[in-house]
Amino acid sequence: MSIFPDRFRLDGRAALITGSARGLGWEMAKGLAEAGAKVLLHGRARSRLAPRVAELETAGRDAGAVCFDMADRAAMAVELGNAGPIDILVHNVGERDRRPFAEIDHDAFARLIDVDLVAAHALVKLLLPGMIERGWGRLILVSSIVGDLAVPGAVSYATAKGGLSAFARALAAEFGARGVTCNALSPGFFATETNAQLAVSPAGERQRERCPLKRWAEPWEIAGAAVFLASPAASFVNGHTLVVDGGVSATYLG
Ligand SMILES: NC(=O)c1ccc[n+]([C@@H]2O[C@H](COP(=O)([O-])OP(=O)(O)OC[C@H]3O[C@@H](n4cnc5c(N)ncnc54)[C@H](OP(=O)(O)O)[C@@H]3O)[C@@H](O)[C@H]2O)c1
């Protein structure tokens, strides 16, 4: 059996990548499209999605977009109900709240858990039945190394991300036999637009030093891991959290 590169191809599959107008979501969408998948981009503004869809189409890729806020489950159901079959879900939306514990009240905590974790449950509820019916599916939940390694000032975010990895394992245990695998993808420090200020701050410099590779990751460096987890090459990878952090979480001191 040929392993490379055919087993990394995604021709004939449709992939939804949430939060894909920019950052890691956009990079993973480009990678999945290059591997042959039809990609559905997602975000809260059609005006930000349309140029991205056009960019993919100009490159000869098959692309579309769905638009809803993760907090709006009715809109989520309508948009995904009209989207056609989806074989691969990369759930990438993740809002942050970097305030200290004392400043995060109950409502703010609950809201972030809802958008980052409970919304993943809603997405899976909508997409999993079709995957089971077709006997093939890939669920990839974007977590964070902060879900396993604590840092001050990330209490709600870390709780949600740790929950996503546990959710991935629970789904893997329950649905593997139905042809659907579920894994988490755990990025370290990536120099996305959202992290631009952090990356050049003293805290960002400390992260650079802490990393065995002595740098932040470039956003495109997440794409290969997502393509792998989505592909036939990962057919026996299930319930895993794939860490892409340059070795930060493997080491005690940089
Ligand atoms: N960058 C890193 O270093 C890093 C490290 C560890 C984990 N992660 C995780 O990786 C994922 C992507 O990170 P990133 O830095 O690329 O993120 P980002 O730049 O903040 O992008 C997030 C995307 O999510 C969308 N989004 C945000 N809130 C949303 C909501 N309520 N409903 C719908 N869409 C929403 C945004 O779309 P619109 O604004 O267009 O609507 C945006 O395209 C996140 O889950 C993050 O926690 C990132």
Side-chain angles (χ1 to χ4, degrees):
M1 179 187 294
S2 109
I3 295 293
F4 183 83
D6 295 1
R7 302 280 289 169
F8 292 86
R9 294 291 309 171
L10 296 170
D11 305 285
R13 303 293 186 193
L16 167 66
I17 306 94
T18 67
S20 43
R22 62 169 190 255
L24 303 188
W26 169 237
E27 296 298 332
M28 291 189 283
K30 280 191 292 183
L32 293 163
E34 193 178 335
K38 172 185 177 175
V39 297
L40 268 182
L41 303 181
H42 159 265
R44 289 168 294 186
R46 291 191 198 280
S47 58
R48 286 197 287 274
L49 292 165
R52 293 306 204 184
V53 171
E55 200 175 322
L56 288 171
E57 287 176 341
T58 303
R61 315 294 182 212
D62 194 354
V66 289
C67 188
F68 55 87
D69 192 304
M70 277 297 152
D72 185 348
R73 303 293 153 58
M76 178 193 285
V78 169
E79 286 283 291
L80 295 184
N82 294 327
I86 292 171
D87 308 298
I88 299 161
L89 167 66
V90 180
H91 178 45
N92 165 75
V93 167
E95 293 188 8
R96 299 150 174 93
D97 187 341
R98 293 190 166 119
R99 292 176 297 163
F101 178 78
E103 290 176 24
I104 299 175
D105 63 18
H106 173 83
D107 287 351
F109 184 80
R111 190 197 163 273
L112 191 130
I113 298 294
D114 181 68
V115 167
D116 283 11
L117 177 59
V118 184
H121 176 268
L123 277 174
V124 171
K125 271 277 185 196
L126 289 169
L127 301 182
L128 185 61
M131 293 178 183
I132 290 173
E133 201 179 301
R134 293 185 296 278
W136 196 96
R138 292 280 193 268
L139 301 170
I140 301 167
L141 309 180
V142 177
S143 177
S144 166
I145 58 169
V146 172
D148 292 310
L149 298 174
V151 290
V155 69
S156 36
Y157 180 72
T159 304
K161 292 302 190 180
L164 279 173
S165 294
F167 186 41
R169 286 190 291 275
L171 292 170
E174 196 163 334
F175 295 105
R178 315 286 292 274
V180 180
T181 63
C182 185
N183 295 286
L185 186 49
S186 185
F189 290 88
F190 280 72
T192 55
E193 276 172 62
T194 305
N195 278 341
Q197 285 193 330
L198 179 64
V200 296
S201 71
E205 186 54 41
R206 284 196 297 278
Q207 295 302 344
R208 194 186 325 281
E209 269 310 302
R210 167 79 179 78
C211 177
L213 301 187
K214 301 298 175 202
R215 63 180 178 85
W216 281 55
E218 295 298 324
W220 66 266
E221 291 182 284
I222 199 70
V227 170
F228 167 64
L229 288 178
S231 74
S235 52
F236 210 61
V237 181
N238 192 29
H240 181 65
T241 296
L242 178 51
V243 176
V244 183
D245 71 348
V248 167
S249 58
T251 52
Y252 178 56
L253 293 173

